[in-house]
Amino acid sequence: MAFVTQRQIQKFHEDGFLVLEHFFTAEECDSMRNQIQRIVAEMEVPPHCRTEFSTKEEEQLQAQGSSDYFLTSGDKIRFFFEKGVLDERGNFLIPKEKSISKIGHALHAYDPVFKQITHSSKVQELGRKLGLERPVVVQSMYIFKQPGIGGEVTPHQDATFLHTEPLGRILGFWIALEDATLENGCLWFIPGSHTNGITRRMVRAPPGTSTCVEFVGSEPAYEDSQFIPLPISKGGLILIHGEVVHKSELNSSESSRHVFTFHVMEAKDTSWSKENWLQPTPELPFPSLYT
């Protein structure tokens, strides 16, 4: 593992992100890709559960908000699809392995390969270098960013979806399982944008509302010129501060951009919002990163 210096940690605090090339080996990346292939091959999706994944606010509310499937996926391994891959009866228009957008949100807890990566000694060591005292894993996702159809992810802050008090307790680990390039939808960041708090929250809607979640506040308009791209090679890790503004563009290339990502919360002196869509359950309390 690349040794992380104090200067790099200082840079993370300045920018709100940190790129660590070659953090994971090619073999580790391939083991995750092979495991996900097995999971997708065995995937059986009930048609009524075939919610499409979207980050555009209205579509998010419509597709996910009315969907118990999304809301109760925090302690399960569940499947979300790109737009336009299902007909009106919920049948696949293209092969299922090419139609899937992401798998979430508990691979880290229930799959041996992803569990091992999440709790690997180098991740734990990095947590300690960052000064995390009681980090817990709150969610994980495998993101496919399919060739030609991998949708854009509009500018957002992770704390919009994973709210804590105080803020500043959420950290994303974003692992490139293949090269992430300008062409296939690498991440873009606004350096230093993690210091101004958050302007929007996704919260559970009151019972009886037509959607399960709703947004409070709004995302400001960001200038494209504020963003810098962070291409990264296979095995690279990007650390993402919970309040840094980031996005990714549509994948218009012919190569996918597979990623495994998980979020950690510093649980010491922190309260997890009861309004978050994601809640720990008796079956799956948030597991400690240091195990």
Side-chain angles (χ1 to χ4, degrees), residues 1-4 20 22-29 32 116-130 173 175 235 237 239 262 289-290:
M1 148 189 173
F3 182 71
V4 182
L20 298 171
H22 310 299
F23 192 87
F24 289 96
T25 64
E27 293 73 32
E28 286 171 314
C29 294
M32 288 186 265
Q116 188 183 353
I117 293 284
T118 304
H119 297 277
S120 57
S121 55
K122 49 193 166 188
V123 168
Q124 296 189 18
E125 186 188 333
L126 180 54
R128 293 195 167 94
K129 285 249 170 71
L130 289 160
F173 290 71
I175 305 158
L237 169 70
L239 279 180
F262 59 91
L289 183 66
Y290 301 151

